Amino acid sequence: KNEVEQSPQNLTAQEGEFITINCSYSVGISALHWLQQHPGGGIVSLFMLSSGKKKHGRLIATINIQEKHSSLHITASHPRDSAVYICAVRSRASYDKVIFGPGTSLSVIP
Amino acid sequence: NAGVTQTPKFQVLKTGQSMTLQCAQDMNHNSMYWYRQDPGMGLRLIYYSASEGTTDKGEVPNGYNVSRLNKREFSLRLESAAPSQTSVYFCASSENRVTEAFFGQGTRLTVV
């Protein structure tokens, strides 16, 4: 079992839909990151959170430390949101260890 | 402000050839990282440097060497490339080991 899992693996949505991507992890963490990787390959950090909820524009990230679960929500989705979304956790046991999930591939259709 | 710059963007090597991937950041970050990304797998850490003058092995260091030339630059060297090293390589930097990381655009390496 991977230490960081994401669901779904692939997601296709119609423009305007509300999207949720889930991340579950099995290790103690000090922080969780959500990253976005566009088809061109570049990776951008969206959020870093250790508790509660953060919002940036149409993106919302939440984390439940007790349940070892995080969600990334996209409101009013747009084709430009099409990308791979990656969840990564920083191990509490070792600040040097960051474990990446396999990614969720999102395609938003006009 | 360029952020993290990686060169080259694409490279094809023959088995046994050597090459160095270059990475530079202009954000005065202390920590720098090299990752590889393979289909169906998450990013995996090859080597990292917590500060100028220090380097440490990550999850998959075999077949690679690194040099933290100065605070800005962190290079990854393949001494004798193997087909198993075909991958996309990402360099990243962060202010320290616990802050968010900024990534380069990636280097797509094919070893034939």
Side-chain angles (χ1 to χ4, degrees):
Chain A
K1 189 173 189 289
N2 295 329
E3 292 172 300
V4 180
E5 295 187 325
Q6 291 182 234
S7 63
Q9 185 176 353
N10 297 287
L11 179 58
T12 300
Q14 289 292 130
E15 182 173 357
E17 284 186 5
F18 180 83
I19 289 163
T20 296
I21 299 170
N22 297 297
C23 174
S24 297
Y25 53 90
S26 58
V27 298
I29 70 167
S30 58
L32 182 143
H33 301 257
W34 280 102
L35 309 168
Q36 180 191 55
Q37 184 172 24
H38 272 283
I43 298 174
V44 175
S45 177
L46 297 174
F47 295 103
M48 183 178 75
L49 62 165
S50 55
S51 65
K53 176 179 172 178
K54 286 191 176 180
K55 184 176 189 294
H56 184 244
R58 294 180 295 106
L59 302 178
I60 303 166
T62 64
I63 187 168
N64 184 318
I65 296 293
Q66 286 72 32
E67 294 187 3
K68 295 187 174 177
H69 181 269
S70 174
S71 293
L72 176 69
H73 304 287
I74 305 175
T75 62
S77 59
H78 190 276
R80 64 175 175 266
D81 297 325
S82 298
V84 175
Y85 292 84
I86 301 169
C87 170
V89 301
R90 186 175 293 279
S91 167
R92 190 171 58 219
S94 168
Y95 284 130
D96 299 321
K97 186 174 182 183
V98 176
I99 308 163
F100 291 82
T104 294
S105 179
L106 170 66
S107 178
V108 181
I109 299 170
Chain B
N1 188 343
V4 180
T5 304
Q6 280 183 244
T7 55
K9 287 188 170 51
F10 300 93
Q11 183 72 50
V12 178
L13 290 178
K14 293 183 180 178
T15 297
Q17 285 185 317
S18 63
M19 80 160 293
T20 300
L21 306 184
Q22 306 287 352
C23 176
Q25 53 91 8
D26 61 4
M27 295 171 283
N28 202 36
H29 284 168
N30 291 307
S31 301
M32 297 186 74
Y33 312 84
W34 276 106
Y35 294 95
R36 60 178 289 172
Q37 185 179 41
D38 300 294
M41 304 183 72
L43 288 153
R44 292 182 293 168
L45 182 65
I46 304 170
Y47 271 93
Y48 69 96
S49 170
S51 61
E52 184 180 356
T54 68
T55 61
D56 286 285
K57 294 179 180 179
E59 187 182 351
V60 288
N62 292 343
Y64 305 95
N65 285 300
V66 290
S67 295
R68 183 75 183 267
L69 304 168
N70 47 55
K71 193 169 186 181
R72 288 188 67 246
E73 298 171 290
F74 187 39
S75 61
L76 178 72
R77 183 161 177 84
L78 287 71
E79 289 292 350
S80 179
S84 61
Q85 294 178 303
T86 294
S87 187
V88 181
Y89 291 85
F90 287 95
C91 176
S93 73
S94 61
E95 187 177 338
N96 55 53
R97 283 179 279 182
V98 299
T99 52
E100 69 172 314
F102 294 81
F103 287 80
Q105 287 297 303
T107 297
R108 187 172 295 275
L109 175 67
T110 302
V111 183
V112 297

